[in-house]
């Protein structure tokens, strides 16, 4: 079983839809959970960052972590065409020096106007 | 502007011809890292550095070298490139020494080895 699993999509939604992106993981030692957004021909940029379990909201974006199920989600409300990108989940272990983040393979999202 | 700068952005080379991809960050970060991104495989770490003169292997270090002589620079060296090193490469830096926090990525260097 891979450490981090993410459905690659593609996911196509109309403007205004609620989008749900998900990752599952196998290593219970993961403590830091992140979502990165990557536009075409650009480097990934951090979107959301959470430590341990719970929810975090930032504008139209909500990140959820369920450590008991080893499942993380990113919700996008009122999706916009500018949200069209690849979304990468990432996670790392507490006090794991150096090797940093384990990334999912990314889900490609397309929001049509 | 805070940024990670990579050069070149695009490069086509031939098997065996040594090349260097430069990376520079202006955020005074101690941690820097190189990733490669391939379709179906995602982002995989090649090498990382937690400080000047401190480097270590990531998940896919074979065929690559790095050096960290200055805090701001972290070049990736391909001594004898092969076609399986054709990929999109990203340099990243982090304000956390362990690299467990936010990573700031460069815009990528697309390398083709013929």
């Amino acid at each position: 079983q891979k450490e981090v699993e993410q459905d690659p999509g593609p996911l196509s939604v109309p403007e205004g839809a609620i989008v749900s992106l998900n990752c599952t993981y196998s290593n219970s030692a993961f403590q830091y959970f992140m979502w990165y957004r990557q536009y075409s021909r650009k480097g990934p940029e951090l979107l959301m960052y959470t430590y341990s379990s719970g929810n975090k909201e930032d504008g139209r974006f909500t990140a959820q972590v369920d450590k008991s199920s080893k499942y993380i989600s990113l919700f996008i409300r009122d999706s916009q065409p500018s949200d069209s990108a690849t979304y990468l989940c990432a996670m790392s272990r507490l006090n794991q020096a150096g090797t940093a983040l384990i990334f999912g393979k990314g889900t490609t999202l397309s929001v049509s106007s | 502007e805070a940024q990670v700068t990579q050069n070149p952005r695009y490069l086509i080379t031939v098997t065996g011809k040594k090349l260097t991809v430069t990376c520079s960050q202006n955020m005074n970060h101690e941690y820097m890292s190189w990733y490669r991104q391939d379709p179906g495989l995602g982002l995989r770490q090649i090498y990382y550095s937690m400080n000047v003169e401190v480097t270590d292997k990531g998940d896919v270090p074979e065929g690559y070298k790095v050096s960290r002589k200055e805090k701001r620079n972290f070049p990736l060296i391909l001594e004898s490139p092969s076609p399986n090193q054709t990929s999109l490469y990203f340099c990243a830096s982090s304000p956390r020494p362990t690299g467990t926090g936010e990573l700031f990525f460069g815009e990528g260097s697309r390398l083709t080895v013929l």
Side-chain angles (χ1 to χ4, degrees):
Chain A
Q1 183 182 8
K2 291 187 174 64
E3 276 198 296
V4 179
E5 301 265 17
Q6 183 176 9
D7 186 337
L11 183 61
S12 296
V13 301
E15 183 175 358
I18 297 174
V19 176
S20 172
L21 304 168
N22 310 295
C23 285
T24 59
Y25 62 95
S26 57
N27 191 336
S28 58
F30 287 140
Q31 294 280 353
Y32 299 94
F33 303 92
M34 281 145 276
W35 286 95
Y36 283 79
R37 177 175 62 195
Q38 185 177 17
Y39 291 116
S40 180
R41 298 189 184 87
K42 296 287 187 182
E45 57 179 343
L46 184 68
L47 198 57
M48 300 287 284
Y49 178 103
T50 54
Y51 171 68
S52 197
S53 283
N55 294 359
K56 186 173 184 178
E57 189 173 320
D58 184 1
R60 297 184 294 110
F61 298 90
T62 299
Q64 285 186 352
V65 175
D66 182 349
K67 292 189 70 181
S68 62
S69 302
K70 297 191 180 70
Y71 189 87
I72 69 170
S73 301
L74 178 70
F75 297 97
I76 307 174
R77 292 185 299 279
D78 187 24
S79 56
Q80 302 295 309
S82 59
D83 295 327
S84 297
T86 297
Y87 291 81
L88 305 163
C89 64
M91 46 200 80
S92 65
R93 295 173 283 273
L94 186 66
N95 295 326
Q96 177 67 37
T99 52
L101 306 181
I102 309 296
F103 285 87
K105 293 178 183 177
T107 300
T108 300
L109 171 68
S110 176
V111 181
S112 56
S113 56
Chain B
E1 180 189 354
Q3 58 186 5
V4 178
T5 304
Q6 298 177 226
N7 280 296
R9 294 288 313 281
Y10 301 92
L11 179 63
I12 299 174
T13 190
V14 295
T15 299
K17 186 175 182 181
K18 181 180 178 180
L19 68 92
T20 299
V21 186
T22 63
C23 174
S24 181
Q25 51 94 4
N26 62 1
M27 294 169 280
N28 202 36
H29 290 166
E30 291 183 352
Y31 182 93
M32 297 185 74
S33 180
W34 277 101
Y35 287 84
R36 60 179 288 175
Q37 187 174 39
D38 301 289
L41 297 175
L43 276 165
R44 295 178 294 167
Q45 191 178 48
I46 303 170
Y47 268 94
Y48 64 92
S49 170
M50 294 172 67
N51 213 328
V52 174
E53 302 291 0
V54 179
T55 64
D56 209 342
K57 297 176 181 177
D59 298 320
V60 288
E62 295 77 21
Y64 305 94
K65 286 175 58 177
V66 294
S67 69
R68 187 90 182 273
K69 293 184 170 57
E70 304 165 281
K71 196 173 187 178
R72 63 183 292 128
N73 296 324
F74 191 44
L76 179 69
I77 303 156
L78 285 73
E79 293 270 1
S80 182
S82 62
N84 66 11
Q85 293 178 298
T86 293
S87 187
L88 179 59
Y89 291 87
F90 288 102
C91 180
S93 70
S94 174
R96 290 180 188 257
T98 56
T100 49
E102 178 177 7
L103 282 175
F104 292 82
F105 284 86
E107 296 219 317
S109 296
R110 184 167 292 282
L111 171 65
T112 301
V113 183
L114 302 175

